[in-house]
Amino acid sequence: MEHIYHKKFNSGERLHKKGVGVYIYGKHALMEAIGNAPRAVKKVFLSPEANTSELRGTLEKNKIPFSAMKGGDAGKMVSRDASHQGVIAAVDPAEILVDFDDFVSNLKPDENTILVLLDELTDPQNVGAIIRSAAAFGASGILLPAKNQAPITGAVVKASAGMVFRVPIVELGNVNRAVDILKEKGFRVYGLDMNGEKKISDEKFGAPSLFIVGNEGRGIREKTFERCDVQLRIPMNPKCESLNASVSAAVVLFYWSLGHSGALKKNG
């Protein structure tokens, strides 16, 4: 069996190197990959017991190699509790990453443009859930630091419901440089912070918006936090300490979308 290993995240490494692959699993995730980023799919492994006749036709049409999954193979590729439905695919996440300079050069923002920047999040479930919410509410891109950031893995793809293949995933070499460039292009920068100076309900969101979601423990890094035009907070019952990163992002993105139905149409 061709071996494309599931890369583990180590602090300080780049988000993804060309040719370093991961495994995604489940029919839905694979169909999203084929439909939106077929070049990223390198090989598919199918369980003989699964009903995959239609899927095989799709793979043949897209000239994606596939082979039978032998006993014990699944446990070597994904966790034993992964609901893979008899479908596991080796993908190269580097194929879906977009260079920031290329991305921003083609960006024509208006008041319905929203970007989400993840500032060194480490939990794959949070990363995937935020990508899913961003896609649901019309984001034009997800910005990820190249280092110290949980990379795109099978768990992230699963948590995103395959949305990593639908929304541009933009790799940042320097987060603060990217924020400065976006501000020059007219973006208003919002940092999500439980002690933020302004409630989300008090902000009009009349310009292109960049939302920054900080690390699960320490929040947004200091130099990046200083670049925020507004620190936003979600009004909450004082008996509740805080919401986790993905839930906070979903709440803020939903509230933003209430006044920007054009984003759903533009990115639909």
Side-chain angles (χ1 to χ4, degrees):
M1 180 183 72
E2 178 184 349
H3 181 59
I4 301 181
Y5 64 88
H6 188 149
K7 190 173 185 294
K8 294 182 179 179
F9 169 62
N10 293 309
S11 177
E13 289 187 319
R14 292 192 65 80
L15 191 62
H16 270 294
K17 297 178 181 178
K18 191 76 171 178
V20 174
V22 300
Y23 294 108
I24 66 172
Y25 47 91
K27 294 179 182 179
H28 178 75
L30 177 58
M31 292 307 295
E32 287 289 347
I34 295 172
N36 296 284
R39 287 176 49 188
V41 184
K42 301 306 179 184
K43 189 170 183 178
V44 177
F45 303 91
L46 304 173
S47 170
E49 293 80 23
N51 182 12
T52 57
S53 56
E54 184 177 347
L55 178 57
R56 290 169 186 262
T58 301
L59 294 172
E60 290 173 350
K61 181 179 178 181
N62 286 274
K63 299 181 179 179
I64 297 173
F66 60 90
S67 64
M69 193 186 306
K70 301 175 183 178
D73 282 353
K76 298 175 183 177
M77 293 184 280
V78 299
S79 64
R80 296 188 181 279
D81 59 350
S83 178
H84 56 74
Q85 303 170 303
V87 177
I88 299 176
V91 303
D92 181 1
E95 293 284 359
I96 68 171
L97 294 177
V98 180
D99 177 76
F100 174 74
D101 290 333
D102 292 338
F103 175 78
V104 79
S105 67
N106 294 311
L107 191 63
K108 297 178 174 58
D110 58 31
E111 66 176 16
N112 287 317
T113 302
I114 182 175
L115 301 175
V116 180
L117 193 161
L118 307 188
D119 188 28
E120 299 189 352
L121 272 72
T122 60
D123 184 342
Q125 297 299 319
N126 273 335
V127 174
I130 292 172
I131 292 173
R132 184 175 187 177
S133 295
F137 298 122
S140 296
I142 309 294
L143 282 53
L144 303 180
K147 295 183 179 181
N148 302 321
Q149 168 70 39
I152 303 301
T153 62
V156 170
V157 173
K158 190 72 172 179
S160 78
M163 292 299 102
V164 296
F165 301 111
R166 287 202 180 212
V167 182
I169 307 297
V170 185
E171 185 177 46
L172 305 179
N174 186 306
V175 168
N176 293 333
R177 171 181 175 269
V179 172
D180 290 342
I181 290 173
L182 290 171
K183 292 182 77 165
E184 290 174 2
K185 289 185 74 74
F187 277 83
R188 191 160 171 80
V189 181
Y190 299 97
L192 276 59
D193 184 83
M194 63 179 295
N195 298 312
E197 65 198 27
K198 199 169 189 178
K199 296 186 294 185
I200 56 172
S201 54
D202 291 338
E203 181 63 30
K204 301 300 182 184
F205 301 114
S209 299
L210 171 65
F211 289 98
I212 302 178
V213 184
N215 173 272
E216 294 91 345
R218 65 176 180 270
I220 301 171
R221 286 173 294 167
E222 182 180 358
K223 294 297 183 183
T224 305
F225 193 75
E226 291 173 356
R227 284 170 162 80
C228 296
D229 297 304
V230 179
Q231 289 88 45
L232 282 180
R233 74 176 189 274
I234 300 169
M236 290 172 48
N237 188 311
K239 294 181 181 179
C240 181
E241 183 178 346
S242 66
L243 300 173
N244 76 10
S246 62
V247 174
S248 296
V251 170
V252 172
L253 293 173
F254 168 71
Y255 189 86
W256 176 89
S257 74
L258 294 177
H260 297 82
S261 58
L264 303 180
K265 299 174 183 177
K266 181 170 64 173
N267 296 304

